């Protein structure tokens, strides 16, 4: 059984910063890509940023230059540093990880979500 536990959401004023953390625990052989997604009310879940095991990153155009994704492979953790936050960044943010959890077994896991609210 694998769990992803997120932390770091909250309420912040526009222009402010927040740092999200997500740690994986359980039976983990290795972790491939890790990423952050978000879902605003009435909208579909969208990719925010993804990072490979080797550190290659990709960002959605809406957050490029403002958000930074990073990971610590030793801790099975991924982080999202969010700067210059805008009201349109308000959403529930979800951590995702593609985890090798057994011999010939790879599965996608999701965190429970953490609310980020940016006030204008």
């Amino acid at each position: 059984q694998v769990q992803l536990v997120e932390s770091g959401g909250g309420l912040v004023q526009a222009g402010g910063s927040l740092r999200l953390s997500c740690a994986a625990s359980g039976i983990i052989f290795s972790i491939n890509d890790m990423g952050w997604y978000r879902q605003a009310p009435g909208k579909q879940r969208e990719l925010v940023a993804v990072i490979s095991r080797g550190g290659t990153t990709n960002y959605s155009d809406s957050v490029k230059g403002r958000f930074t994704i990073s990971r610590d492979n030793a801790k099975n953790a991924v982080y999202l540093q969010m700067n210059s936050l805008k009201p349109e960044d308000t959403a529930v943010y979800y951590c995702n990880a593609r985890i090798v959890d057994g011999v010939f077994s790879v599965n996608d896991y999701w965190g429970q979500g953490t609310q980020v609210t940016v006030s204008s």
Side-chain angles (χ1 to χ4, degrees), residues 16 28 65 79:
I28 298 171
Y79 310 96

Side-chain angles (χ1 to χ4, degrees), residues 11 16 20 41 46 54 82 84 115:
L11 172 65
L20 305 183
E46 63 174 358
M82 304 184 292
S84 302
Q115 177 70 46

Side-chain angles (χ1 to χ4, degrees), residues 19 36 51 57 59 68-72 77-81:
R19 178 177 166 88
W36 290 94
I51 184 168
T57 59
Y59 297 90
T68 302
I69 189 170
S70 60
R71 64 188 284 174
D72 184 332
V78 64
Y79 310 96
L80 186 68
Q81 177 66 43

Side-chain angles (χ1 to χ4, degrees), residues 59-112:
Y59 297 90
S60 70
D61 288 343
S62 62
V63 307
K64 276 181 184 176
R66 300 188 297 122
F67 291 10
T68 302
I69 189 170
S70 60
R71 64 188 284 174
D72 184 332
N73 291 332
K75 295 181 179 180
N76 291 333
V78 64
Y79 310 96
L80 186 68
Q81 177 66 43
M82 304 184 292
N83 298 328
S84 302
L85 282 160
K86 304 175 181 180
E88 50 263 45
D89 294 319
T90 295
V92 178
Y93 283 69
Y94 296 92
C95 171
N96 169 267
R98 181 154 292 179
I99 295 177
V100 181
D101 54 8
V103 178
F104 306 122
S105 177
V106 181
N107 289 290
D108 277 338
Y109 289 90
W110 293 89
Q112 80 282 4

